[in-house]
């Protein structure tokens, strides 16, 4: 007797034809899964044969296109995109340790090590903690919603594909290009910042020389695809985690009088110059900076299609965000606020002198400890290279998703035999050549405007993830399904996503006010400041206009809940076996000591 398999929503494989044409396509894909496995075995044998002909031949053949079966020509463009994403040939090589470490330290970079200095200067230590805590609650809710979505739908492109599925293709188009713009300029910007950071030790060597070295290093890492990215980020994140923990311990010792001068600091700088700077406007500016500092937290959502076991690794990884916010941001920023007064002139340093503007480096220098500033500067350098490496991974997957959805030239969806989005990676590296602008005297002006194109990108991304989660839950309810049928359920629920949408709207409003009437401008409007910081909104409107023109204004602004497809791309499981596994896991955890249960709840 054959076993009956079902999707997590309870839909039987035999019921696909009654659901949608896409369901029929996916059913066909499942029926041909054995053939696919046979073809993969054949390819494996073929690869072994090629090894005999030499490494170079094998290396070249690895870039040939991965051959996929034809899609049903009767499918619509959106249905084809969803079917392609559901059976993506991307390499599934990211292990649990990779994703855990990416979740913990993947987004710990310049936003924390350097951006915190600007926030401290603008708002004071109290604003720093309050704003990061508020934004942190939103981030945690967002990644929990993201985990629920990508575990249920571990498709290529992650939440970028789900925007089109749960909101509308129009908004999916805007957000996909918005996210691509955010990350396409990350590589050149981070490489330039890394080359500038090296000036801390040697200002005689031209920055372009260091850019070449860092560029070649990142290209080398990404030749190995997702595995190369995962191993590199594991190493980078481990270094950053150890550095932050070490700084926290160092800061506690120095604050308590354990420094060379033996002076007890305590909460001195909270009284003089004070806990808050520049009133409510200063508070709002820190509110915005906190959002920018936590950009990239959603990276784990793009790893689902390349994870070995999304159901187990993604939920566990998203829980690590709690520790990242609590330990790396809240505790370390508390130490920074205790060791560095908000009126320290070095906090005014521009991004071109990032090595001296870092409040972490300033704190060590103020303590009078020699040698450690160089160590912290090495960590900042590694953080910049890490973010640049992440930029290649994210941008290439985003561009590939654009090609899959028909939002960009089809060639961008090219995936080679080793599971790498080769063409999208090439495009990312070509744009990365902008890093050689480091040799021009106007580098800071140019890159400030490049950054302006993606300044608010993360805010829109987070808000859209929360909105997609809300729409997904509405669709489940409409189809009389319950969350008990899901492999993972968001710890913050649908109300966490509601909070996420509201807070992101408030951040946009705060940014509008701060940018139009910046501090130190006598309450007058500043058009230059406004457009430089709010340019991303105009970019989204521009992309929106392009889509409307292409579709001749015949678009769906919001997909009705009754028409949301909760079948295509859904993880194919035996629901009864899944429930049994979950029950066994809960029973095993319940049998353990209380500290182990607490650990598993948060990890």
């Amino acid at each position: 007797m054959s076993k009956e398999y079902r999707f997590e929503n309870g839909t039987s494989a035999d019921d696909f034809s009654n659901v949608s044409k896409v369901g029929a396509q996916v059913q066909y894909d499942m029926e041909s899964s054995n053939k696919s496995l046979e073809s993969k075995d054949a390819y494996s044998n073929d690869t072994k044969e090629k090894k005999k002909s030499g490494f170079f031949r094998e290396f070249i053949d690895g870039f040939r296109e991965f051959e996929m079966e034809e899609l049903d020509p009767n499918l619509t463009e959106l249905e084809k995109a969803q079917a392609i994403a559901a059976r993506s040939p991307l390499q599934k090589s990211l292990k649990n340790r990779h994703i855990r470490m990416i979740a913990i330290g993947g987004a710990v970079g310049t936003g924390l090590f350097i951006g915190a200095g600007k926030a401290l200067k603008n708002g004071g230590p109290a604003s720093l903690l309050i704003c990061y805590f508020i934004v942190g609650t939103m981030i945690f809710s967002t990644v929990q919603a993201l985990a629920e979505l990508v575990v249920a739908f571990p498709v290529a492109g992650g939440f970028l594909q789900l925007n089109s599925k749960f909101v509308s293709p129009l908004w999916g188009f805007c957000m996909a290009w918005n996210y691509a713009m955010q990350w396409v300029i990350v590589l050149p910007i981070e490489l330039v910042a890394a080359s500038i950071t090296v000036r801390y030790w040697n200002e005689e060597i031209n920055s372009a020389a260091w850019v070449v070295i860092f560029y070649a290093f990142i290209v080398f890492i990404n030749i190995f695809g997702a595995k190369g990215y995962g191993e590199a980020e594991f190493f980078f994140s481990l270094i950053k985690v150890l550095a932050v923990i070490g700084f926290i311990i160092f800061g506690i010792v120095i604050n308590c009088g354990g420094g060379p001068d033996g002076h007890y600091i305590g909460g001195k700088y909270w009284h003089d110059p004070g806990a808050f700077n520049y009133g409510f406007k200063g508070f709002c500016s820190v509110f915005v900076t906190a959002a920018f500092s936590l950009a990239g937290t959603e990276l784990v959502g793009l790893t689902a299609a390349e994870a070995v076991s999304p159901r187990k690794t993604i939920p566990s990884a998203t829980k690590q965000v709690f520790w990242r916010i609590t330990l790396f941001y809240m505790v370390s920023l508390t130490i920074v606020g205790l060791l560095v007064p908000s009126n320290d002139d070095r906090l005014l340093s521009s991004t071109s002198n990032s090595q001296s503007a870092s409040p972490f480096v300033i704190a060590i220098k103020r303590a009078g400890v020699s040698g450690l500033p160089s160590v912290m500067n090495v960590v900042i350098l590694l953080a910049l290279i890490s973010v640049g490496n992440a930029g290649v991974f994210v941008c290439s997957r985003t561009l590939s998703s654009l090609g899959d959805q028909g939002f960009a030239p089809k060639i961008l969806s090219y995936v080679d035999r080793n599971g790498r989005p080769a063409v999208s990676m090439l495009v990312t590296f070509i744009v990365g050549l902008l890093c050689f602008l480091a040799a021009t005297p106007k580098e800071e002006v140019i890159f400030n405007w490049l950054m302006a194109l993606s300044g608010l990108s993360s805010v829109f991304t987070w808000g859209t993830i929360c909105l997609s989660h809300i729409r997904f839950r509405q669709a489940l309810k409409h189809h009389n399904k319950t969350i008990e049928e899901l492999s993972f359920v968001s710890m913050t629920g649908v109300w966490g996503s509601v909070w996420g949408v509201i807070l992101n709207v408030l951040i946009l409003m705060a940014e509008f006010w701060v940018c139009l009437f910046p501090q130190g401008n006598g309450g007058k409007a500043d058009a230059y400041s406004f457009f430089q910081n709010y340019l991303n909104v105009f970019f989204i409107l521009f992309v929106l206009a392009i889509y409307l023109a292409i579709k001749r204004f015949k678009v769906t602004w919001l997909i009705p809940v009754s028409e949301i497809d909760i079948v295509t791309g859904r993880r194919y499981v035996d629901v009864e076996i899944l429930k049994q596994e979950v029950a066994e896991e809960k029973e095993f955890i319940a049998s353990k000591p209380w500290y182990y249960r607490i650990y598993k709840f948060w990890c």
Side-chain angles (χ1 to χ4, degrees):
M1 183 175 180
S2 61
K3 180 181 285 188
E4 180 184 10
Y5 288 89
R6 293 179 176 271
F7 279 90
E8 291 178 354
N9 66 352
T11 305
S12 170
D14 294 332
D15 295 334
F16 276 121
S17 59
N18 297 325
V19 178
S20 67
K21 291 181 292 181
V22 191
Q25 175 68 46
V26 177
Q27 181 184 14
Y28 173 76
D29 292 340
M30 292 173 182
E31 290 173 350
S32 62
S33 60
N34 291 331
K35 295 181 181 179
S36 298
L37 291 173
E38 291 174 3
S39 64
K40 288 181 180 179
D41 291 338
Y43 170 68
S44 178
N45 294 331
D46 185 50
T47 302
K48 292 178 181 178
E49 292 295 326
K50 288 179 180 177
K51 286 183 179 180
K52 298 178 181 178
S53 62
F55 171 81
F56 182 74
R57 171 64 182 277
E58 180 189 356
F59 178 77
I60 296 299
D61 287 344
F63 287 96
R64 293 183 178 180
E65 186 174 10
F66 183 93
E67 297 181 0
M68 296 178 62
E69 297 180 7
E70 293 288 334
L71 291 173
D72 184 348
N74 296 319
L75 296 177
T76 65
E77 291 183 5
L78 178 60
E79 291 169 341
K80 287 180 180 179
Q82 293 176 355
I84 290 172
R87 58 179 191 176
S88 169
L90 290 175
Q91 190 180 41
K92 295 183 180 298
S93 55
L94 292 179
K95 299 178 181 178
N96 187 25
R97 65 183 178 89
H98 295 143
I99 296 178
R100 277 177 175 267
M101 195 56 70
I102 290 170
I104 293 176
V108 174
T110 54
L112 173 64
F113 293 127
I114 298 175
K118 177 183 177 182
L120 178 62
K121 181 67 181 179
N122 289 339
S127 294
L128 193 67
L129 294 183
I130 295 172
C131 292
Y132 273 82
F133 174 78
I134 293 175
V135 174
T137 61
M138 179 270 291
I139 292 296
F140 184 69
S141 298
T142 300
V143 295
Q144 283 292 304
L146 176 61
E148 182 177 311
L149 291 174
V150 298
V151 169
F153 298 89
V155 299
F159 56 85
L160 299 175
Q161 285 276 357
L162 301 181
N163 292 337
S164 298
K165 177 189 285 288
F166 298 125
V167 183
S168 73
L170 180 149
W171 193 243
F173 178 85
C174 292
M175 288 299 98
W177 274 108
N178 174 61
Y179 202 65
M181 179 58 69
Q182 174 185 348
W183 286 98
V184 75
I185 53 102
V186 162
L187 178 60
I189 287 176
E190 298 301 323
L191 288 178
V192 171
S195 67
I196 292 172
T197 302
V198 179
R199 292 179 189 171
Y200 183 84
W201 299 287
N202 189 320
E203 295 186 359
E204 297 178 0
I205 300 177
N206 192 298
S207 295
W210 294 111
V211 163
V212 171
I213 296 173
F214 298 142
Y215 182 89
F217 179 60
I218 291 178
V219 170
F220 175 76
I221 290 174
N222 284 274
I223 284 177
F224 298 97
K227 185 175 182 180
Y229 165 74
E231 292 294 348
E233 283 306 300
F234 180 84
F235 170 76
F236 290 142
S237 296
L238 182 62
I239 295 296
K240 289 185 285 186
V241 167
L242 293 177
V244 172
I245 294 175
F247 175 80
I248 291 173
I249 296 173
F250 166 83
I252 293 173
V253 172
I254 295 298
N255 186 263
C256 294
D261 56 10
H263 290 166
Y264 173 77
I265 300 174
K268 173 183 176 181
Y269 300 132
W270 280 63
H271 298 284
D272 181 22
F276 295 93
N277 279 356
Y278 302 108
F280 185 65
K281 180 173 287 188
F283 179 86
C284 287
S285 66
V286 178
F287 196 47
V288 172
T289 303
F292 295 160
S293 298
L294 289 162
T297 313
E298 73 290 338
L299 287 183
V300 69
L302 286 176
T303 65
E306 297 173 78
V308 175
S309 178
R311 188 183 80 82
K312 294 183 178 180
T313 57
I314 300 299
S316 178
T318 54
K319 291 178 182 179
Q320 310 301 321
V321 175
F322 169 81
W323 297 110
R324 181 197 303 170
I325 294 170
T326 302
L327 180 62
F328 299 149
Y329 283 90
M330 299 305 298
V331 177
S332 63
L333 291 179
T334 298
I335 299 297
V336 165
L338 291 173
L339 298 182
V340 182
S342 59
N343 61 355
D344 191 304
D345 292 338
R346 285 169 291 189
L347 293 174
L348 290 173
S349 300
S350 65
T351 54
S352 62
N353 294 311
S354 58
Q355 69 276 7
S356 61
S358 170
F360 290 79
V361 174
I362 293 172
I364 296 172
K365 285 184 174 180
R366 290 182 66 90
V369 180
S370 61
L372 278 184
S374 290
V375 174
M376 182 54 67
N377 208 54
V378 170
V379 175
I380 293 174
L381 178 62
L382 291 177
L384 291 167
I385 297 175
S386 171
V387 176
N389 181 48
V392 175
F393 178 84
V394 177
C395 184
S396 60
R397 272 64 182 176
T398 301
L399 292 176
S400 180
S401 176
L402 283 166
D404 286 339
Q405 297 183 74
F407 294 161
K410 186 67 177 176
I411 188 65
L412 290 176
S413 63
Y414 181 102
V415 177
D416 64 28
R417 294 185 179 184
N418 287 329
R420 298 168 297 199
V423 174
S424 293
M425 287 174 62
L426 179 62
V427 171
T428 304
F429 287 133
I430 290 175
V431 177
L433 294 175
L434 287 172
C435 61
F436 289 100
L437 288 172
T440 69
K442 294 289 185 180
E443 58 164 314
E444 188 173 341
V445 176
I446 294 172
F447 281 100
N448 280 341
W449 281 101
L450 284 176
M451 291 181 68
L453 286 171
S454 61
L456 292 170
S457 177
S458 292
V459 178
F460 283 100
T461 297
W462 296 331
T464 303
I465 290 172
C466 292
L467 178 60
S468 296
H469 181 237
I470 294 171
R471 300 274 294 166
F472 172 57
R473 287 291 189 91
Q474 290 176 335
L476 283 181
K477 184 177 181 180
H478 176 81
H479 292 289
N480 297 319
K481 305 300 178 182
T482 66
I483 58 175
E484 294 179 356
E485 298 172 357
L486 300 176
S487 296
F488 174 76
V489 178
S490 168
M491 296 172 65
T492 56
V494 71
W495 287 109
S497 294
V498 172
W499 165 240
V501 171
I502 293 174
L503 192 57
N504 279 291
V505 171
L506 291 176
I507 291 174
L508 289 175
M509 294 170 63
E511 175 73 348
F512 184 90
W513 181 42
V514 171
C515 292
L516 188 58
F517 303 99
Q519 295 177 23
N521 203 40
K524 298 179 181 179
D526 187 333
Y528 186 89
S529 171
F530 175 75
F531 282 105
Q532 189 175 67
N533 291 281
Y534 229 72
L535 186 60
N536 180 244
V537 175
F538 295 97
F539 172 76
I540 293 175
L541 293 175
F542 173 71
V543 173
L544 176 66
I546 290 178
Y547 187 84
L548 291 174
I550 293 174
K551 297 298 182 179
R552 298 180 180 180
F553 291 87
K554 296 179 180 179
V555 298
T556 300
W557 292 89
L558 187 66
I559 300 175
V561 174
S562 59
E563 297 179 13
I564 292 179
D565 178 11
I566 59 173
V567 172
T568 308
R570 195 71 173 273
R571 183 170 174 267
Y572 188 57
V573 298
D574 186 315
V575 176
E576 295 304 320
I577 292 180
L578 173 64
K579 290 182 178 180
Q580 182 179 348
E581 289 179 355
V582 172
E584 290 176 354
E585 290 173 2
K586 290 182 178 179
E587 184 178 351
F588 174 77
I589 294 174
S591 65
K592 295 294 181 178
W594 63 270
Y595 53 84
Y596 182 85
R597 294 197 298 271
I598 294 176
Y599 166 78
K600 292 301 294 183
F601 180 81
W602 289 111
C603 299

